[in-house]
Amino acid sequence: MIPVSSATELPSFADVLLAAERIKPWAHRTPVLRSRTADTELGAQLFFKCENFQRMGAFKFRGAMNALTQFDATQRKHGVITFSSGNHAQGTALAAQLLGIPAVIVMPQDAPAAKVAATRGYGAEVVTYDRYTEDREAIGARLAAERKMTLIPPYDHPHVMAGQGTATLELLQETGPLDALFVCLGGGGLLSGAALAARALSPACKIYGVEPQAGNDGQQSLRAGQVVHIDTPKTIADGAQTQHLGKYTFGVIRELVDDIHTVSDEELVAGMRFFAERMKMVVEPTGCLGFAAARKLKDQLQGKRVGVIISGGNVDLGKLATFLAD
């Protein structure tokens, strides 16, 4: 396996700024949308950063592109490999296609069909595994060694984290300082990147990660002061079915994040319904984590300026119909 770089230190806000310039030719500057209905319900001013309108439908394109643009000639020739439940898979596949780099993606057998189809559609080779009985990291490392490919993990890499931080950078450039920021949390790439940007541009902002109740490893880790490992959680938030935070992501989260909250699958469905009915947009379950937590904490948010990162909109339409019909 060829390392992506010699970077061994935690990323900084300066890395987020460099990432923004690096990915600017390819990434969309996604809209920040408002909702009077949401403002009234929470008694606050909400600013939704809509990464469901990012290329390939999620923020993951940012981190993948930031990492792949830093490949040297040898790495570009042999290609990139990663493991992902779907959005990092698509982000890496699309970034690789745009840069002319071969890509292999290790995906769970039960990943949403739309995400698997899109990943293949971007030209990547998909290798499937059973997320409940097999170790995706071990599979990725083995294939990387066999094929001399560069492994870019879905969250625990400084270049990936810096790239994800550009979403919050754009949000704060548009809104100015915020009182609170709610960020979806799986492996911690988005939250750690968001924390780097928010602490630099809005120092007094309260930064909250949000996980599904069934998978609160991040919450446990923050409380314990060390990374806690759990079994693969069973939740509709497939983008947050991670078993643990990363070494790099936890290093940033432990230092910069104020707290981590959890929400139920039922609260995620309510969020999907709100976005569909009131804001006329498709948001995947994981993308609803931040808004669901803001709703739960509305008593603490009265009169506040609140940012919410909507991480993505990649959900099978059949499942979406089932969720909204319940």
Side-chain angles (χ1 to χ4, degrees):
M1 179 174 61
I2 305 171
V4 66
S5 76
S6 59
T8 57
E9 297 182 356
L10 294 178
S12 66
F13 179 58
D15 294 310
V16 177
L17 293 175
L18 288 172
E21 289 302 312
R22 200 174 285 121
I23 70 174
K24 189 175 181 179
W26 293 282
H28 294 327
R29 188 178 182 94
T30 53
V32 177
L33 299 183
R34 303 291 311 281
S35 166
R36 288 191 298 172
T37 302
D39 288 357
T40 300
E41 178 186 335
L42 273 68
Q45 296 180 62
L46 272 70
F47 301 87
F48 296 98
K49 179 60 171 172
C50 297
E51 286 295 289
N52 49 321
F53 295 126
Q54 185 54 260
R55 292 186 76 158
M56 50 67 50
F59 74 96
K60 290 285 191 176
F61 179 73
R62 297 173 180 272
M65 181 57 80
N66 187 49
L68 268 61
T69 53
Q70 298 181 69
F71 274 24
D72 62 26
T74 300
Q75 291 173 308
R76 285 173 176 256
K77 176 183 176 182
H78 289 291
V80 62
I81 184 168
T82 193
F83 41 85
S84 166
S85 64
N87 282 338
H88 181 65
Q90 293 174 83
T92 301
L94 176 56
Q97 181 188 63
L98 292 171
L99 296 172
I101 297 173
V104 174
I105 316 294
V106 180
M107 300 185 72
Q109 294 170 347
D110 61 348
K115 294 183 178 182
V116 176
T119 301
R120 290 194 170 113
Y122 292 132
E125 175 189 346
V126 174
V127 176
T128 60
Y129 75 102
D130 185 332
R131 76 164 89 218
Y132 299 104
T133 63
E134 296 182 281
D135 184 345
R136 67 180 190 173
E137 296 181 24
I139 295 170
R142 174 177 59 80
L143 291 174
E146 291 174 357
R147 304 190 188 193
K148 298 182 179 179
M149 306 184 90
T150 299
L151 178 64
I152 296 294
Y155 53 85
D156 200 31
H157 192 285
H159 296 169
V160 172
M161 296 158 64
Q164 317 307 26
T166 62
T168 298
L169 171 66
E170 291 176 5
L171 170 66
L172 292 168
Q173 286 174 338
E174 185 164 335
T175 65
L178 296 172
D179 298 304
L181 177 66
F182 290 85
V183 185
C184 313
L185 174 58
L190 182 62
L191 178 58
S192 57
L196 292 172
R199 278 287 168 259
L201 298 179
S202 185
C205 179
K206 294 291 186 181
I207 303 170
Y208 301 120
V210 188
E211 298 176 299
Q213 286 178 351
N216 72 329
D217 59 290
Q219 186 183 64
Q220 292 184 53
S221 298
L222 193 63
R223 305 278 194 275
Q226 61 184 8
V227 176
V228 172
H229 292 242
I230 63 172
D231 292 333
T232 300
K234 294 187 177 181
T235 170
I236 63 171
D238 63 281
Q241 285 185 294
T242 48
Q243 296 176 299
H244 58 86
L245 299 177
K247 176 181 69 175
Y248 294 109
T249 59
F250 180 66
V252 173
I253 290 169
R254 178 177 54 191
E255 295 299 320
L256 301 182
V257 171
D258 290 285
D259 203 358
I260 295 174
H261 300 283
T262 65
V263 297
S264 67
D265 280 1
E266 291 75 18
E267 288 165 326
L268 295 180
V269 170
M272 295 174 71
R273 183 173 291 112
F274 176 89
F275 288 128
E277 290 181 345
R278 307 304 306 206
M279 298 184 70
K280 314 306 177 188
M281 62 184 181
V282 173
V283 178
E284 63 186 273
T286 307
C288 297
L289 286 166
F291 181 50
R295 282 176 138 176
K296 290 181 70 172
L297 298 176
K298 66 180 183 179
D299 289 345
Q300 302 176 30
L301 301 176
Q302 298 298 300
K304 304 292 187 181
R305 290 166 48 82
V306 180
V308 176
I309 306 292
I310 297 175
S311 62
N314 294 320
V315 57
D316 288 339
L317 294 183
K319 286 189 175 180
L320 176 65
T322 300
F323 290 144
L324 298 183
D326 290 343

